[in-house]
Amino acid sequence: MLFRSLDDGFLLTNTFGEVYDKARFLQACCAGESTSRNVLLGAIDAQVKVYGNAAVIVARTEMRFTRDTEEQKLAWRSTRTFVKSGGKWKLAAEQRTSVG
């Protein structure tokens, strides 16, 4: 489940500059009935740097989905910071920048 891979202090800054904590992010992405269906979600051009119990991943992510029977595409570059806690890697922060 997604919520298990997020650190309790998780923060996301989306492509519009809005900041989401863990609870707000899970509410926005995972609660209620979805009107869209993911077709593709994948990261490419990823670079990973590990610093002890922290890791930084810089990547380009592409997402294709259908909403109201129309296919749409989003793409962004992101910097994700992971922390290792209790032997498991958890996403602590993510910053996204929209790309064409």
Side-chain angles (χ1 to χ4, degrees), residues 12-82:
L12 165 72
T13 304
N14 71 13
T15 58
F16 301 107
E18 300 167 330
V19 178
Y20 288 75
D21 63 10
K22 182 178 179 178
R24 183 174 177 213
F25 174 76
L26 290 173
Q27 177 68 30
C29 84
C30 306
E33 283 294 314
S34 177
T35 60
S36 65
R37 183 179 69 78
N38 282 348
V39 176
L40 168 78
L41 178 62
I44 58 174
D45 190 27
Q47 299 175 29
V48 179
K49 304 283 184 184
V50 178
Y51 305 95
N53 287 332
V56 176
I57 300 174
V58 176
R60 176 185 169 97
T61 301
E62 294 183 359
M63 178 178 176
R64 279 187 259 154
F65 59 98
T66 57
R67 176 176 282 156
D68 300 326
T69 69
E70 185 177 321
E71 188 166 307
Q72 299 181 29
K73 178 183 173 184
L74 295 173
W76 62 87
R77 293 206 59 87
S78 63
T79 300
R80 296 179 181 112
T81 303
F82 287 81

Side-chain angles (χ1 to χ4, degrees), residues 76-95:
W76 62 87
R77 293 206 59 87
S78 63
T79 300
R80 296 179 181 112
T81 303
F82 287 81
V83 293
K84 194 171 190 180
S85 176
K88 296 184 180 185
W89 288 100
K90 296 196 173 201
L91 182 58
E94 181 173 352
Q95 167 76 49

